[in-house]
Amino acid sequence: MHDGGPKVDFSGDRGVTSSGSPGACRICGNASGNLAHFPREMMFGWDEAFEYLECRSCGCLQIARIPDDLEKYYPRDAYYSYQRPKEKRQPDWLLRLRHARSRHYLGEASTIGALFGRLSRRPERFEWLRRGRITLDSRIADIGCGSGRLLLKLQRDGFRSLVGADPFIEADIDYGNGVRILKRGIEELEGEFDFVMLHHSFEHMPEPARALRALRRRVVPGGTVLVRIPVSDSLARRKYGVNWVQWDAPRHLYLHTAKSMRRLADDAGFDILEIAHDSSAQQFASSELYVRGVPYVEHGRYKPGNGPRAFSRGQWDAFEREAAELNRRGEGDSACFYLRPR
Ligand SMILES: [Zn+2]
């Protein structure tokens, strides 16, 4: 597919002020001093460039014009989030232990839960949920959930009220265990929820302000919204420019900063409770491979232990250490924004 090297050298990309003006920021309205950038489609290596605007005021990167044929960039046979997960069946005794462990993670005293929790690392999903005021009966929604992999895990963890929504699945899915996935977008979703999550779906939405206002209507007072997104006020974005893996043109329509998210949250009636960075080694490994012109679909085999080695074990460990350090400093390239209705 690729020929081993980038066709155009974009390293050191600082953006250009294109002929005329790149236009006004669709988040904050600023029209002065905005820059244009031209990242390429790199997931499949289609070698097509797209214009993005970088707002000089709020820092948000945004695609200049949403392609009319956006669906073309989400091929159903290749795009990972649509693949239906395998149904896992676990014995009742194991499920009971898992439920006790969940109650323990959610703050309910339980000796069995504490003991079982010690046998494994706390799954990341409980990091997200502990910021909400959650019980196993809380109403939880996952927006842009693909086929609902995370909701199925939560079901096995003992959560009882789980709904997913994704406008791009083929049809509604009822797993028959209480988990339902609806083929619809946030604006068509009905009902009220205690915890609504968007895991790397918000950056794909063409109208983020509208989406946040719709979320505001779906979450109860005292409830929590988690928006997990790539963030462009990050070291990896500065270091790699248009080869930054999370740019993902043209699928990522908006790449926010803390400032642009504050603005959106405020306008929609939310306070930001916390911003927790959760970037990984991938911000370096995949961006380095983009610099070399390797499309994302080929990156899996470059992981340590898989096929050809792009990075030594030592380099990979260094990427992981640097990611952890950046997350501590708030400069990793992805973050969890926890919002609460005002
Ligand atoms: Zn702006």
Side-chain angles (χ1 to χ4, degrees):
M1 278 167 91
H2 68 98
D3 58 13
K7 292 198 173 67
V8 188
D9 181 9
F10 285 106
S11 57
D13 163 71
R14 292 286 175 273
V16 294
T17 309
S18 62
S19 53
S21 154
C25 173
R26 298 195 294 275
I27 303 299
C28 75
N30 173 59
S32 122
N34 295 340
L35 296 172
H37 299 270
F38 298 89
R40 290 167 301 152
E41 198 294 317
M42 283 300 290
M43 181 177 278
F44 304 106
W46 289 342
D47 207 31
E48 190 182 348
F50 296 87
E51 183 177 351
Y52 277 68
L53 171 157
E54 177 180 9
C55 176
R56 189 44 79 80
S57 176
C58 74
C60 180
L61 291 176
Q62 52 209 267
I63 198 161
R65 201 182 56 79
I66 295 172
D68 297 329
D69 54 353
L70 196 56
E71 275 178 34
K72 178 181 119 184
Y73 300 92
Y74 294 87
R76 206 167 276 278
D77 53 341
Y79 205 68
Y80 47 87
S81 42
Y82 301 127
Q83 286 160 18
R84 196 173 164 138
K86 278 192 219 104
E87 311 254 348
K88 275 192 197 165
R89 296 208 52 85
Q90 291 186 323
D92 283 349
W93 62 267
L94 181 57
L95 290 171
R96 277 199 297 276
L97 281 177
R98 276 182 76 150
H99 302 178
R101 182 183 71 168
S102 302
R103 285 193 289 271
H104 164 68
Y105 286 149
L106 297 173
E108 206 180 294
S110 148
T111 313
I112 295 199
L115 284 172
F116 189 55
R118 250 188 236 165
L119 296 176
S120 55
R121 223 169 53 139
R122 184 210 291 259
E124 193 180 17
R125 55 191 179 275
F126 287 98
E127 287 298 313
W128 305 323
L129 294 169
R130 76 181 173 83
R131 264 79 167 205
R133 299 158 185 161
I134 300 285
T135 69
L136 293 181
D137 289 314
S138 296
R139 293 156 294 178
I140 298 174
D142 187 359
I143 311 295
C145 62
S147 53
R149 201 175 292 271
L150 172 61
L151 290 171
L152 290 170
K153 279 186 189 162
L154 290 171
Q155 193 272 336
R156 292 193 293 274
D157 287 329
F159 293 91
R160 299 181 187 99
S161 178
L162 300 163
V163 174
D166 194 311
F168 299 111
I169 56 175
E170 269 179 65
D172 291 356
I173 306 171
D174 187 341
Y175 283 101
N177 56 8
V179 178
R180 284 178 309 132
I181 315 294
L182 307 170
K183 179 181 168 55
R184 59 183 72 169
I186 172 64
E187 299 204 45
E188 296 116 37
L189 189 66
E190 290 163 0
E192 287 196 313
F193 301 92
D194 302 293
F195 193 86
V196 182
M197 355 179 242
L198 292 83
H199 296 279
H200 291 277
S201 60
F202 189 61
E203 64 270 35
H204 298 263
M205 296 180 181
E207 295 187 78
R210 236 177 116 147
L212 270 194
R213 287 197 297 273
L215 280 169
R216 178 67 186 78
R217 296 192 290 275
R218 298 280 75 89
V219 67
V220 297
T224 307
V225 173
L226 161 61
V227 182
R228 273 180 84 209
I229 46 172
V231 286
S232 60
D233 46 349
S234 54
L235 180 133
R237 192 259 138 155
R238 292 195 298 277
K239 178 170 178 182
Y240 294 106
V242 290
N243 287 309
W244 172 43
V245 61
Q246 296 266 27
W247 206 315
D248 198 21
R251 285 163 291 271
H252 288 178
L253 305 176
Y254 291 86
L255 294 139
H256 285 287
T257 62
K259 190 174 178 185
S260 63
M261 278 302 285
R262 280 213 174 82
R263 165 103 194 198
L264 280 181
D266 196 47
D267 289 349
F270 286 108
D271 288 325
I272 295 185
L273 294 180
E274 188 183 348
I275 303 173
H277 285 72
D278 64 349
S279 72
S280 69
Q282 191 205 31
Q283 69 194 306
F284 303 110
S286 283
S287 300
E288 292 283 347
L289 289 170
Y290 277 4
V291 171
R292 300 179 204 176
V294 182
Y296 188 83
V297 288
E298 296 180 20
H299 290 197
R301 63 195 182 95
Y302 286 90
K303 284 196 177 131
N306 288 355
R309 285 281 186 88
F311 310 103
S312 68
R313 184 79 245 179
Q315 274 174 307
W316 193 269
D317 292 345
F319 290 158
E320 286 189 334
R321 281 195 305 274
E322 190 169 3
E325 173 56 25
L326 289 175
N327 291 340
R328 271 193 293 279
R329 295 209 314 253
E331 288 191 81
D333 78 341
S334 64
C336 302
F337 290 79
Y338 294 92
L339 316 180
R340 180 149 296 160
R342 259 203 305 273

